[in-house]
Amino acid sequence: MAARIWILAVVVAVFLSLSAFSSAQDLQIVNAERRIDLSSQIVKAFLTLKVENIGKDPVAEMLLAFPPTQIKHLAMVQALAITGKKKKKTYLPLDVKPSEQPDAPNDAGFFIVSFATPLGPGETVKLEVLYILTHSLEPFPVEITQSESQLVYYHDSAVILSPYHIKQQTTFFKTPSTRVESFTSIEPANRAGKEIKYGPYEDRTPYSYTPVIVHFENNSPFAVVEELVREIEISHWGSLQITENYRLTHGGARHKGVFSRVDYQSRRSISGASSFNALLAVLPPRVNSVYYRDDIGNISTSHLRTGFRKSELEFEPRYPLFGGWKATFIIGYRVPLEDYLFEAPDDRRYLNFTFGCPLVETIVNKLTVKVVLPEGSKDPSAVLPFTVNQDLQVKYSYLDIVGRTVVVLQKDNVVPTHNVPFQVYYTFKPIYMLAEPFMLVSAFFFVFVASLAYVHIDLNIAKK
Amino acid sequence: MGGKQPEPANVSSKSESMATNKASPDLLNSLSFKSLKLKTKQQELLIRVSILGLVYVLAFIARLFSVLRYESMIHEFDPYFNYRTTLFLTEKGFYEFWNWFDSESWYPLGRIIGGTLYPGLMVTAALIYWTLRFLRFFVHIREVCVLTAPFFASNTTVVAYFFGKEIWDTGAGLVAAALIAICPGYISRSVAGSYDNEAVAIFALLLTFYLFVKAVNTGSLAWALGSAFGYFYMVSAWGGYVFIINLVPLYVLVLLITGRYSMRLYVAYNCMYILGMLLAMQIRFVGFQHVQSGEHMGAMGVFLLMQVFYFLDWVKYQLNDTKLFQTFLRITVTSAILVGGIALGVGTASGYISPWTGRFYSLLDPTYAKDHIPIIASVSEHQPTAWSSFMFDYHILLFLFPAGLYFCFKRLSDATIFIVMYGLTSLYFAGVMVRLILVATPAVCLISAIAVSATVKNLTSLLRTKQKVPQTGSMKGAGSSKASSKVLLDQSQPFQKNGAIALLLGVFYLLSRYAIHCTWVTSEAYSSPSIVLAARGAHGNRIIFDDYREAYYWLRQNTPTDAKVMSWWDYGYQITAMGNRTVIVDNNTWNNTHIATVGRAMSSYEDEAYDIMRSLDVNYVLVVFGGVTGYSSDDINKFLWMVRIGGGVFPVIKEPDYLVNGEFRVDKGASPKMLNCLMYKLCYYRFGELVTEYGKPSGYDRARGVEIGNKDIKLEHLEEAYTTSNWIVRIYRVKPPTNRL
């Protein structure tokens, strides 16, 4: 009897939770198209959804679901609402937040997309979702020799994981070359050139999941920055000094056996196809005093092109990077202060600079941005479009007495899409600028006074 | 010196005011005259200080060519070890440094760093670094290390000024400072980045000598004490201190023999020797050598002789009887020498006093090293000096030196005797070993400065006396030479003046040539870091070969942290400092057998070498190869030394096996052993497939200008791990042994 009551209680609880969830079930996806770009190490997925409210109440938000294998590699999720017809399309960015759903099957992860205006009953909305996955291409074979090219696995589902009913859906995978070793076939699935098409599939129930594996060639540079520390030092004397410490590695299939320079030099096309030896950093315009060095000195293989909109630094590590090889280096440059430092209306100053990593097409596992404020700055606060770990430190630089406040922003799993402006607000009295010159002047003054005194004072004890 | 300057000023102003009281009409006149006179004195001080200041700055900036042309980096081989230890010192502190056992070098033996190095340089740099940090200058330790040598070169010019002033006059001091500031012989070892012991040691050497001469001149205990501390610093900085501890006693001995014994000398030498010795014993690497090693026994002998002299002086004073004293003298001197000789004999026989080391022998006998210690002879800087390098490093000083000697002999004093002895002995050593040109440089500069200063002074005083006969008194210090010139002047006046002008112009021309030569030498020859090679391309553009650092950084990043690298010892310091990996042998050539083992491995067949490498746990082998770029100081050109050093310990390795009719070849005519030894295989592996020069067959070695003899090289136990972009450094991985069946 007690057991029966217990079961009843559980059933009621489940029912209640489902009813709480039922607003979600008011929605259904009429049409979904997913395009997954596998051509570089960063997997970009574009999801076009047509969502309809089939319930009775207006719905303010919807859920996006991701399998647990993807959720930890997810670098970014963005959503746009599309209104208007073909020619007058307008895109409206929507708010996307990670969320916890306690009854999610198999630890699926969720994001909540809030609509601009609640979706009334019977209304439809067109959404475009972009999400970016890192470290999702698994090299197989794990180790390759210099003459082999790199093959990778990509795991995903042929149908979109979603808490909603999807009436019709298609998924496209775009591979970098036509060489595809294999792919799981879920009818209807076919391959044409660089594209593999799954679907269209009709009427899939919520949380349908059909795992597929695509095994294909990908020789794009797997440049992974394991750790990047960017230090932005503000000098009110007119410049911004940026120092970037990179710890770069080749994240693809590990290199096995010999490295032959003869082959690498003379048969470049087939030798070391997955290796890379040139990198491109996009730096701000008007950049000057650029240097590129490492622990043991300057590295002479770099070229800088400056332009009005951006500068490009093309550089090579000391040696070509094969799978698993590492390189550490430092890039430093200086930009004029007036381009990046502004005065806020409330008498504060703010730095407006780009977050993220200047290297193109790289993944940063751990990014630390340190903004070194001038000595004497107070009340720092940082404003970013996404969440980061924030911290304050103190740094001592030339002729510092009390030290400089450092705003430390730390974020994991950063991709080029994170290269967006952020702001650091602080208050600063310009009189502090004179502290260091004054110290120098007074030091010289005392030296001269001391030497004057020394010349004029007779220190002899014995009289001559 | 500066403190005494205003004193006469005050005195004279007093007298001047008295004068105004007496004769008011002359007020304006006397005031202006007197103040003018004061001014000239102050002006002289001002000029002297500003010249010295300029020389100080000049000495520093003349050494910055390499920083401007390349970058702020450490040069050559040994400085990398010094840099690494300095880094350790600043990171871990002095006690950790003092007790550092380095397991990264001389695997599997290791090296007790604290007990086997001269810590002076590292401690100096660390102190500068800590001082700057304290003053809130947050510099990197590398910048401090790079600029230590120019900084100390600047300090040396100041010491040279005071030294010149001590032995001759201020003019000679200024000229000496200017000469030494840009002398190529010194610059060669003190450009920015050559962070070696010599950088501070020459400063310490000259300081010790200066303070000692000052002590001898004044008989002051304070200067002698200063000299003892200078000696201590020198001992802590460089093994060349042996030169001081032998030259100073030799000088004292000469003074004793020439009858210049004085109380001043007694005080100076005793204080300097005893305190210097006690202080030097605090350096662990030197330890008890001052009382135990043959090289230091001369100093002790002279010290004892000094006491005998003092004793005899005292006895002479007590006796008053010359005949009795003569007999006493004879007995005492004979017995003293006898006792000393017996003590030395017993000490040497019992092994308490160690015999002279090979390096010391090779200094006295230039051919010694070639026959007995190939490892010393293999170093290029230990070769006997060619005449051209004397000309290159000294330029006009080579001609001024004898002239200076002449002036010194003309005005013989304790101080000039010292500089003459320093000059002559060091010049002899400079002839024996190229690197010792450095030690002779200060002496050559000082003696030449005397020549220049004395000549110019004579000539200008000649001109002045001609123009303003009554104002001869304004020039001081010209002394007797001026008087003689005046006499000459009276004899043939019109001719004299023109001659003087011509000679003066000649001197200035020579000096300007010297300055031009020095700048040229510094910029062309001595400012290359040798780790980065630069060449001119076909279109006049600069091509940089940065292969060394490429390879070392590859080792640092892409090999297991406990990997052991075998290479010839030249690259040991660089591999540990830049590659951060354990090496088998390095530039601290303390264990000849270990080096010979590596030499043997390099000159054996691959399977024999494999056994040696397995026994040494070698994971990687690094060779330097210049066949693609035409870089001639590579391992193939050093190979015969490997054979010689290896063969010196392991008679299996025989030099004739690698030669054909006494000729070293790598082409088809090379000996079969040469074509199949490990070094040959590692250097030329797959080189046969490469076309290095247009119109030449594949496998054409540009460094030696021949087509190689073995193009089909197969490696069995090693595999190519990395080759740098210009093939200068090649790294091979030693394969684990195959499974036994």
Side-chain angles (χ1 to χ4, degrees):
Chain A
M1 190 64 196
R4 202 173 287 174
I5 291 171
W6 181 237
I7 288 167
L8 189 76
V10 169
V11 168
V12 168
V14 166
F15 181 75
L16 279 176
S17 69
L18 275 177
S19 67
F21 212 58
S22 68
S23 70
Q25 295 305 330
D26 287 348
L27 296 175
Q28 76 161 355
I29 296 169
V30 182
N31 192 358
E33 189 194 271
R34 187 169 55 153
R35 289 182 176 275
I36 297 174
D37 183 2
L38 302 173
S39 52
S40 78
Q41 60 162 341
I42 301 170
V43 177
K44 299 185 198 83
F46 301 93
L47 207 58
T48 317
L49 302 171
K50 197 173 171 192
V51 184
E52 186 184 11
N53 186 354
I54 50 169
K56 296 184 182 73
D57 302 314
V59 179
E61 52 193 27
M62 73 171 289
L63 288 171
L64 296 171
F66 294 95
T69 48
Q70 287 187 353
I71 195 84
K72 59 175 184 264
H73 296 307
L74 204 58
M76 173 168 264
V77 181
Q78 283 176 335
L80 300 166
I82 306 170
T83 49
K85 289 285 170 194
K86 274 186 179 174
K87 287 206 170 164
K88 291 178 188 167
K89 263 187 188 174
T90 50
Y91 294 91
L92 187 72
L94 299 179
D95 198 22
V96 183
K97 273 196 297 247
S99 104
E100 293 278 317
Q101 298 293 336
D103 58 336
N106 294 331
D107 300 323
F110 290 91
F111 281 78
I112 290 184
V113 180
S114 312
F115 297 125
T117 49
L119 200 61
E123 284 180 339
T124 57
V125 68
K126 236 183 164 183
L127 293 181
E128 214 155 80
V129 178
L130 162 72
Y131 62 90
I132 291 172
L133 296 167
T134 59
H135 298 292
S136 296
L137 301 179
E138 180 198 334
F140 189 86
V142 178
E143 288 189 330
I144 53 170
T145 62
Q146 192 178 348
S147 55
E148 288 175 294
S149 85
Q150 177 173 272
L151 300 172
V152 292
Y153 278 147
Y154 177 68
H155 300 263
D156 206 336
S157 164
V159 292
I160 299 164
L161 186 73
S162 172
Y164 310 108
H165 181 84
I166 304 177
K167 275 182 141 177
Q168 194 194 36
Q169 60 176 315
T170 336
T171 296
F172 299 93
F173 292 102
K174 194 188 161 211
T175 57
S177 68
T178 53
R179 186 176 167 196
V180 175
E181 294 289 296
S182 67
F183 63 98
T184 316
S185 180
I186 310 282
E187 283 304 324
N190 56 20
R191 180 166 85 89
K194 292 182 178 178
E195 205 167 66
I196 303 166
K197 183 183 176 189
Y198 283 93
Y201 304 113
E202 311 280 343
D203 284 327
R204 292 291 165 141
T205 52
Y207 297 117
S208 302
Y209 191 76
T210 323
V212 290
I213 298 176
V214 188
H215 192 200
F216 59 100
E217 181 190 52
N218 189 339
N219 281 326
S220 68
F222 275 44
V224 178
V225 180
E226 287 180 336
E227 190 179 2
L228 168 60
V229 180
R230 298 181 84 196
E231 195 179 89
I232 302 160
E233 195 169 330
I234 302 169
S235 160
H236 277 251
W237 289 96
S239 69
L240 217 56
Q241 173 69 49
I242 295 118
T243 315
E244 295 168 349
N245 277 282
Y246 290 87
R247 222 173 68 217
L248 185 78
T249 184
H250 187 300
R254 298 183 59 80
H255 177 67
K256 178 175 73 177
V258 299
F259 166 79
S260 168
R261 178 60 73 173
V262 180
D263 292 342
Y264 187 75
Q265 271 176 348
S266 53
R267 288 179 276 278
R268 191 66 191 84
S269 54
I270 54 156
S271 167
S274 70
S275 72
F276 60 91
N277 73 336
L279 293 162
L280 183 70
V282 178
L283 304 181
R286 302 225 282 156
V287 68
N288 59 66
S289 317
V290 182
Y291 65 85
Y292 168 47
R293 57 171 297 132
D294 61 18
D295 299 339
I296 58 170
N298 183 48
I299 311 171
S300 52
T301 44
S302 60
H303 302 281
L304 179 73
R305 286 187 298 271
T306 48
F308 285 112
R309 307 201 47 189
K310 61 177 183 185
S311 305
E312 285 183 334
L313 179 72
E314 211 178 66
F315 63 97
E316 290 174 15
R318 288 195 187 273
Y319 37 83
L321 284 175
F322 279 76
W325 288 12
K326 293 181 173 67
T328 57
F329 53 88
I330 301 167
I331 293 176
Y333 48 92
R334 195 173 285 209
V335 285
L337 190 70
E338 63 261 29
D339 297 1
Y340 300 97
L341 193 78
F342 308 96
E343 275 189 50
D346 56 348
D347 206 32
R348 289 195 298 171
R349 286 148 208 277
Y350 70 94
L351 171 84
N352 186 30
F353 205 73
T354 317
F355 196 80
C357 168
L359 297 188
V360 295
E361 287 295 307
T362 47
I363 299 170
V364 184
N365 290 350
K366 186 182 174 191
L367 170 69
T368 312
V369 175
K370 293 182 176 179
V371 181
V372 184
L373 303 175
E375 202 179 15
S377 308
K378 288 191 182 68
D379 315 322
S381 66
V383 179
L384 285 105
F386 35 78
T387 51
V388 293
N389 298 330
Q390 294 195 17
D391 196 11
L392 287 181
Q393 285 178 354
V394 175
K395 187 201 171 190
Y396 290 92
S397 182
Y398 286 91
L399 298 173
D400 282 354
I401 294 169
V402 293
R404 301 174 184 215
T405 313
V406 183
V407 181
V408 184
L409 311 168
Q410 201 263 310
K411 181 165 171 52
D412 290 345
N413 212 4
V414 177
V415 288
T417 359
H418 286 113
N419 292 5
V420 290
F422 72 101
Q423 292 82 33
V424 174
Y425 288 86
Y426 62 96
T427 54
F428 178 76
K429 289 200 183 68
I431 192 79
Y432 285 119
M433 281 168 70
L434 297 175
E436 283 165 12
F438 176 73
M439 274 163 60
L440 280 179
V441 167
S442 47
F444 273 101
F445 179 71
F446 280 117
V447 166
F448 284 124
V449 167
S451 54
L452 256 176
Y454 175 73
V455 171
H456 281 278
I457 293 170
D458 184 11
L459 291 170
N460 275 337
I461 301 168
K463 284 187 178 171
K464 294 210 170 174
Chain B
M1 177 210 75
K4 286 165 204 157
Q5 217 57 46
E7 219 177 349
N10 292 340
V11 171
S12 49
S13 65
K14 252 182 229 162
S15 63
E16 181 198 307
S17 57
M18 271 149 62
T20 46
N21 285 344
K22 278 177 190 169
S24 47
D26 281 350
L27 179 98
L28 207 74
N29 212 0
S30 72
L31 192 79
S32 65
F33 177 71
K34 291 254 171 175
S35 61
L36 191 76
K37 200 177 172 191
L38 291 176
K39 256 190 182 162
T40 46
K41 218 161 195 188
Q42 281 174 336
Q43 267 171 359
E44 201 223 334
L45 176 73
L46 188 69
I47 288 171
R48 221 185 316 143
V49 169
S50 48
I51 287 178
L52 212 55
L54 281 176
V55 167
Y56 194 87
V57 174
L58 174 77
F60 193 84
I61 59 172
R63 286 162 169 81
L64 298 184
F65 271 112
S66 62
V67 172
L68 298 178
R69 202 161 291 164
Y70 293 90
E71 58 182 282
S72 166
M73 68 185 294
I74 307 287
H75 295 188
E76 303 274 349
F77 301 103
D78 285 16
Y80 270 97
F81 169 75
N82 300 331
Y83 174 58
R84 176 167 163 248
T85 47
T86 314
L87 208 63
F88 188 90
L89 172 61
T90 51
E91 278 168 7
K92 302 267 175 75
F94 190 73
Y95 285 97
E96 284 280 312
F97 171 69
W98 206 231
N99 298 316
W100 181 15
F101 177 79
D102 178 23
S103 56
E104 280 205 352
S105 57
W106 293 95
Y107 183 86
L109 308 169
R111 176 183 174 189
I112 305 158
I113 298 278
T116 56
L117 93 172
Y118 294 102
L121 178 73
M122 298 90 191
V123 173
T124 308
L127 280 178
I128 296 173
Y129 175 70
W130 285 325
T131 314
L132 287 174
R133 298 290 282 197
F134 177 74
L135 293 173
R136 298 277 180 221
F137 285 98
F138 290 90
V139 291
H140 194 277
I141 180 68
R142 185 188 55 246
E143 315 297 339
V144 176
C145 292
V146 165
L147 296 179
T148 297
F151 174 62
F152 271 86
S154 290
N155 295 342
T156 308
T157 61
V158 177
V159 178
Y161 163 72
F162 284 111
F163 204 174
K165 195 180 152 202
E166 192 61 34
I167 53 176
W168 202 258
D169 57 12
T170 48
L174 284 178
V175 177
L179 288 181
I180 202 166
I182 54 168
C183 185
Y186 186 26
I187 283 188
S188 67
R189 292 281 169 160
S190 62
V191 290
S194 86
Y195 179 59
D196 211 345
N197 291 334
E198 288 94 324
V200 296
I202 291 304
F203 166 75
L205 177 93
L206 206 60
L207 185 71
T208 312
F209 282 157
Y210 161 63
L211 292 172
F212 184 72
V213 168
K214 187 96 181 167
V216 171
N217 275 353
T218 54
S220 149
L221 211 53
W223 290 114
L225 187 68
S227 147
F229 274 102
Y231 178 65
F232 171 57
Y233 186 49
M234 176 72 188
V235 174
S236 77
W238 194 35
Y241 76 88
V242 178
F243 179 59
I244 299 184
I245 203 64
N246 283 298
L247 177 65
V248 168
L250 192 67
Y251 163 63
V252 172
L253 195 66
V254 167
L255 286 193
L256 292 183
I257 289 169
T258 51
R260 284 174 169 267
Y261 169 77
S262 65
M263 205 54 208
R264 294 178 281 111
L265 186 67
Y266 184 79
V267 168
Y269 184 68
N270 283 344
C271 175
M272 189 262 175
Y273 176 66
I274 293 294
L275 279 172
M277 180 173 72
L278 288 177
L279 285 169
M281 283 179 182
Q282 311 310 311
I283 306 298
R284 268 171 71 194
F285 192 27
V286 178
F288 286 99
Q289 280 187 32
H290 276 78
V291 288
Q292 287 192 339
S293 116
E295 286 114 60
H296 302 74
M297 281 303 128
M300 186 174 275
V302 169
F303 172 71
L304 294 175
L305 199 65
M306 203 78 168
Q307 310 314 316
V308 171
F309 254 78
Y310 187 72
F311 177 67
L312 286 175
D313 239 26
W314 178 74
V315 169
K316 193 178 176 186
Y317 172 72
Q318 294 287 324
L319 275 179
N320 285 332
D321 182 356
T322 32
K323 207 163 189 190
L324 209 63
F325 177 71
Q326 285 294 332
T327 353
F328 183 75
L329 181 73
R330 220 169 291 139
I331 294 166
T332 337
V333 169
T334 325
S335 54
I337 290 171
L338 215 67
V339 167
I342 289 170
L344 192 69
V346 169
T348 318
S350 65
Y352 181 76
I353 297 169
S354 65
W356 289 354
T357 59
R359 274 167 206 256
F360 201 73
Y361 265 124
S362 60
L363 271 183
L364 300 178
D365 174 11
T367 57
Y368 179 81
K370 215 172 183 180
D371 302 335
H372 296 90
I373 331 164
I375 199 143
I376 291 180
S378 74
V379 182
S380 63
E381 62 183 21
H382 290 164
Q383 305 301 320
T385 317
W387 262 110
S388 56
S389 54
F390 271 118
M391 192 60 208
F392 198 63
D393 278 353
Y394 290 144
H395 200 237
I396 59 160
L397 303 187
L398 215 52
F399 308 112
L400 291 174
F401 182 72
L405 282 183
Y406 164 75
F407 280 107
C408 285
F409 275 114
K410 249 182 104 180
R411 208 174 94 182
L412 219 51
S413 68
D414 289 356
T416 46
I417 289 178
F418 181 84
I419 196 68
V420 166
M421 287 192 59
Y422 174 25
L424 291 178
T425 48
S426 61
L427 212 58
Y428 167 73
F429 292 131
V432 175
M433 258 192 207
V434 177
R435 70 189 290 205
L436 291 180
I437 282 190
L438 176 74
V439 176
T441 304
V444 171
C445 285
L446 279 164
I447 292 176
S448 308
I450 290 172
V452 172
S453 173
T455 314
V456 171
K457 199 159 256 181
N458 284 352
L459 292 173
T460 44
S461 65
L462 224 110
L463 287 179
R464 285 191 172 208
T465 39
K466 178 85 178 75
Q467 282 157 1
K468 307 179 210 167
V469 181
Q471 274 217 340
T472 42
S474 68
M475 285 290 285
K476 278 185 185 143
S480 57
S481 58
K482 198 180 70 223
S484 61
S485 68
K486 221 159 63 177
V487 175
L488 272 170
L489 190 79
D490 294 333
Q491 290 169 353
S492 53
Q493 264 189 357
F495 198 64
Q496 201 81 44
K497 193 192 164 193
N498 293 340
I501 289 172
L503 281 175
L504 260 183
L505 286 177
V507 168
F508 286 124
Y509 174 73
L510 275 181
L511 288 177
S512 63
R513 289 310 305 176
Y514 173 72
I516 291 166
H517 172 81
C518 290
T519 323
W520 176 77
V521 166
T522 311
S523 108
E524 292 297 313
Y526 291 142
S527 294
S528 143
S530 93
I531 188 145
V532 180
L533 313 165
R536 291 259 163 243
H539 309 288
N541 53 329
R542 191 148 160 264
I543 304 170
I544 284 184
F545 299 124
D546 204 357
D547 288 41
Y548 279 110
R549 289 193 294 183
E550 181 182 339
Y552 297 145
Y553 215 62
W554 183 86
L555 274 178
R556 185 187 183 123
Q557 298 283 339
N558 300 314
T559 58
T561 44
D562 60 345
K564 284 98 196 165
V565 183
M566 183 172 90
S567 71
W568 191 233
W569 61 265
D570 296 21
Y571 317 109
Y573 277 164
Q574 293 182 344
I575 294 171
T576 39
M578 283 191 275
N580 199 16
R581 291 294 175 267
T582 307
V583 294
I584 307 296
V585 290
D586 66 25
N587 308 45
N588 177 260
T589 51
W590 65 276
N591 190 327
N592 193 32
T593 316
H594 218 48
I595 291 178
T597 311
V598 172
R600 184 186 174 188
M602 293 294 191
S603 40
S604 305
Y605 293 126
E606 192 189 347
D607 44 353
E608 293 163 8
Y610 185 63
D611 292 338
I612 298 171
M613 291 188 293
R614 291 285 304 159
S615 71
L616 288 172
D617 284 354
V618 173
N619 304 106
Y620 291 89
V621 184
L622 182 148
V623 293
V624 171
F625 171 61
V628 176
T629 47
Y631 172 59
S632 60
S633 52
D634 66 350
D635 277 348
I636 290 287
N637 282 357
K638 288 174 186 169
F639 183 62
L640 272 191
W641 287 111
M642 299 180 204
V643 172
R644 273 175 211 152
I645 291 167
V649 177
F650 305 102
V652 226
I653 307 294
K654 295 181 197 71
E655 193 180 333
D657 290 351
Y658 300 86
L659 303 174
V660 177
N661 301 329
E663 201 186 341
F664 181 65
R665 308 175 65 162
V666 295
D667 58 358
K668 280 208 173 62
S671 71
K673 179 117 196 190
M674 178 71 209
L675 290 177
N676 288 296
C677 70
L678 184 70
M679 178 53 78
Y680 191 92
K681 278 180 139 185
L682 296 187
C683 282
Y684 291 120
Y685 178 63
R686 298 198 69 182
F687 180 69
E689 300 169 32
L690 194 77
V691 177
T692 51
E693 214 168 300
Y694 181 74
K696 290 283 194 304
S698 68
Y700 178 76
D701 184 333
R702 292 178 69 191
R704 283 152 286 272
V706 289
E707 186 185 347
I708 60 165
N710 185 356
K711 287 190 190 174
D712 184 34
I713 294 170
K714 295 269 185 293
L715 289 173
E716 193 185 337
H717 302 292
L718 294 113
E719 60 183 10
E720 189 178 358
Y722 189 71
T723 296
T724 56
S725 45
N726 299 302
W727 291 59
I728 291 179
V729 184
R730 308 196 70 181
I731 301 170
Y732 291 85
R733 192 181 295 116
V734 181
K735 287 189 202 165
T738 47
N739 290 336
R740 275 175 213 173
L741 295 171

